[in-house]
Amino acid sequence: MLLKIVQTGDPVLRQTGRTLSKKEILSPGIQQLVELMRETMRDAPGVGLAAPQVGLPLQLAVIEDDAEALSRAPKERLKSQERRGVPFHVVINPKIELVDPTPVTQFEGCLSVSGFSALVPRARGVKVEALDHKGRPVKIEASGWYARILQHEIDHLHGTLYIDRMHTRSYSTVENQARHLEGLPLKELKDLLAIKE
Ligand code: ZN
């Protein structure tokens, strides 16, 4: 069974999710939610899905950047994105620290802003402390694309979408991004779209 992914404009995407206790995490309801979110994310397909995106204001997100799917993507693109596979995992009640705040700007999309994409600057490296799907504390250190995914998903848990952080002039349909913008160096993109900052 797939869950319905809500789209921007739904107020649930603008709320801060509530934290979950260990007992709640181990409950059949949350365990089933994790399974359904995994299926929904894979079906979309996406590399992350946060509970508010399925209408639930909870501090829970699932993440997976499938290594097998990535092996079919162009190598140069993966390199420029600093992107490697990330196995499926769950982050609950996460606290994020930007350990390498160097901004990296890449095109980013969101399953709740369907059909669009934009340039979003993100910190290059982060450290996250969270609970996993069994309620156990975990520490994650990430850089590059994985750090971007974590920042994007944790933003969702605080009512923030990438459109709040994007270079507004780069906001583009996925089709036009692929047609006109894909693969261009940042400097050229900024010139082409007349992005000043
Ligand atoms: Zn999103």
Side-chain angles (χ1 to χ4, degrees), residues 53 109-112 152-153 156:
Q53 294 184 273
C110 177
L111 297 174
S112 294
H152 180 116
E153 297 312 323
H156 272 302

Side-chain angles (χ1 to χ4, degrees), residues 125-143:
V126 299
K127 207 188 271 182
V128 172
E129 292 194 4
L131 300 178
D132 71 3
H133 66 294
K134 298 274 189 206
R136 297 170 299 209
V138 285
K139 281 186 189 165
I140 303 165
E141 285 194 42
S143 65

Side-chain angles (χ1 to χ4, degrees), residues 101-137:
T102 315
V104 180
T105 303
Q106 301 272 3
F107 272 100
E108 189 173 313
C110 177
L111 297 174
S112 294
V113 189
S114 184
F116 291 88
S117 167
L119 288 171
V120 184
R122 298 276 188 190
R124 186 167 177 276
V126 299
K127 207 188 271 182
V128 172
E129 292 194 4
L131 300 178
D132 71 3
H133 66 294
K134 298 274 189 206
R136 297 170 299 209

Side-chain angles (χ1 to χ4, degrees), residues 3-195:
L3 300 168
K4 185 177 179 324
I5 300 177
V6 303
Q7 294 299 307
T8 182
D10 190 316
V12 73
L13 291 171
R14 294 314 197 166
Q15 293 170 25
T16 290
R18 75 168 178 85
T19 56
L20 292 168
S21 67
K22 183 167 180 181
K23 194 175 164 204
E24 284 178 295
I25 295 167
L26 294 171
S27 71
I30 294 295
Q31 292 296 310
Q32 198 198 8
L33 174 66
V34 166
E35 286 310 309
L36 294 177
M37 284 177 66
R38 165 156 53 184
E39 266 183 65
T40 304
M41 171 179 67
R42 285 179 175 170
D43 177 76
V47 294
L49 186 67
Q53 294 184 273
V54 295
L56 299 169
L58 303 172
Q59 294 277 321
L60 183 154
V62 297
I63 290 173
E64 179 181 51
D65 202 1
D66 185 48
E68 202 200 308
L70 287 184
S71 69
R72 292 188 290 272
K75 296 250 176 326
E76 317 79 71
R77 196 174 78 204
L78 298 180
K79 201 178 164 206
S80 73
Q81 291 177 328
E82 291 188 80
R83 187 165 177 181
R84 293 166 294 270
V86 178
F88 177 83
H89 67 100
V90 181
V91 290
I92 297 171
N93 308 342
K95 294 270 176 287
I96 189 165
E97 188 190 337
L98 309 181
V99 288
D100 180 356
T102 315
V104 180
T105 303
Q106 301 272 3
F107 272 100
E108 189 173 313
C110 177
L111 297 174
S112 294
V113 189
S114 184
F116 291 88
S117 167
L119 288 171
V120 184
R122 298 276 188 190
R124 186 167 177 276
V126 299
K127 207 188 271 182
V128 172
E129 292 194 4
L131 300 178
D132 71 3
H133 66 294
K134 298 274 189 206
R136 297 170 299 209
V138 285
K139 281 186 189 165
I140 303 165
E141 285 194 42
S143 65
W145 198 258
Y146 184 25
R148 177 174 296 272
I149 298 172
L150 286 163
Q151 289 169 79
H152 180 116
E153 297 312 323
I154 294 171
D155 266 354
H156 272 302
L157 307 184
H158 297 93
T160 296
L161 301 175
Y162 83 79
I163 52 178
D164 306 329
R165 300 189 186 276
M166 68 181 177
H167 286 297
T168 52
R169 297 181 67 94
S170 69
Y171 191 57
S172 162
T173 62
V174 167
E175 197 180 32
N176 277 337
Q177 190 238 326
R179 188 165 166 194
H180 301 292
L181 310 171
E182 182 80 54
L184 295 179
L186 184 60
K187 168 130 193 355
E188 264 180 64
L189 283 169
K190 285 189 164 179
D191 286 346
L192 192 58
L193 301 169
I195 296 170

